[in-house]
Amino acid sequence: MAFTISNLTDNSNTVIKDKLGSFTVLEYIKDLSCTSVGEASAQYYMSKSNMHRKQLMIEINNSEIIMRAGAMQYTVGNMEMTTGVKGAGGAVRGFLSGAATGTGSIKPLYNGTGTILLEPTYKYIWLIDVDNDEIVLDDGLFLACETTLKIGVVARSNFSSAVLGGEGLFNMSASGKGVIALEAPVPAEEAVVVELQNDVLKVDGNFAMMWSNTLNFTVEKSGKTKMGSMASGEGLVNVYRGTGTVWLAPPSN
């Protein structure tokens, strides 16, 4: 069994922005399918703002990947899609972890040989090589990954302050060795990387996109006292304490 896909990577309107393992990020230079003046005007200003449609292509060869539920646009080749859940216990665990992290209870697993195209997006697609490490992800970033990575759930250190701060109680984690694809609000070139060596990072807002699981993550008052927090005008902050790395998105204007 064999197939050929034409007018995709060989299209003059398509560029390969990144490639890592079986994952390829495609970017479309222009949107050639405008059908109205309004669409054309919007596309013009979007292109001036460096907004381009992007698409993740995954090529597997007798291997398997998992992805965000509902992310697939089409597949070509001899592949099988399963839920990746084994038995009722696995379904319950999947539901609970999905509900906890807001990522969806079932993540489709594709195995076999072929090509998978995910839905286009105007967000930015990051490809990360997790090399015998464990990273924790902010809600909604996960797009797809190799099954050599173990996807899990990490709980916040202090539940009460997380609730007060309007944060979720759990985050998705990826550990082991393999490639993971994320859908981020900023390009990787703009991400600010903070390396901590037995130190503390305090962030006012949800600007942290990823962090090492070696860090102790809590939500705390910005001051030691209620009066101090009120005086600072900040209230609650996300705190990363210990040794590890935090990837921050620069705040938008």
Side-chain angles (χ1 to χ4, degrees), residues 22 59-65 78-80 110-115 147-148:
S22 57
E59 298 169 287
I60 58 175
N61 184 11
N62 291 322
S63 56
E64 57 185 19
I65 60 98
N78 185 20
M79 286 178 286
E80 180 183 26
Y110 291 82
N111 65 76
T113 298
T115 299
T147 55
T148 52

Side-chain angles (χ1 to χ4, degrees), residues 22-23 29 45 50 53 57 75 81 89 91 106 125 130-132 138 150 169-170 175-176 196 199 219 222 231 244 251:
S22 57
F23 295 79
I29 301 171
Y45 288 107
N50 197 34
R53 281 192 307 153
M57 179 174 71
T75 68
M81 190 277 284
I106 303 299
I125 300 174
V130 182
D131 189 6
N132 293 318
D138 194 28
K150 180 180 178 182
L169 299 179
F170 301 91
S175 60
L196 296 175
D199 215 325
V219 181
S222 58

Side-chain angles (χ1 to χ4, degrees), residues 67-90:
M67 69 171 68
R68 178 196 300 167
M72 187 271 287
Q73 186 183 55
Y74 64 90
T75 68
V76 184
N78 185 20
M79 286 178 286
E80 180 183 26
M81 190 277 284
T82 65
T83 62
V85 174
K86 297 180 179 179

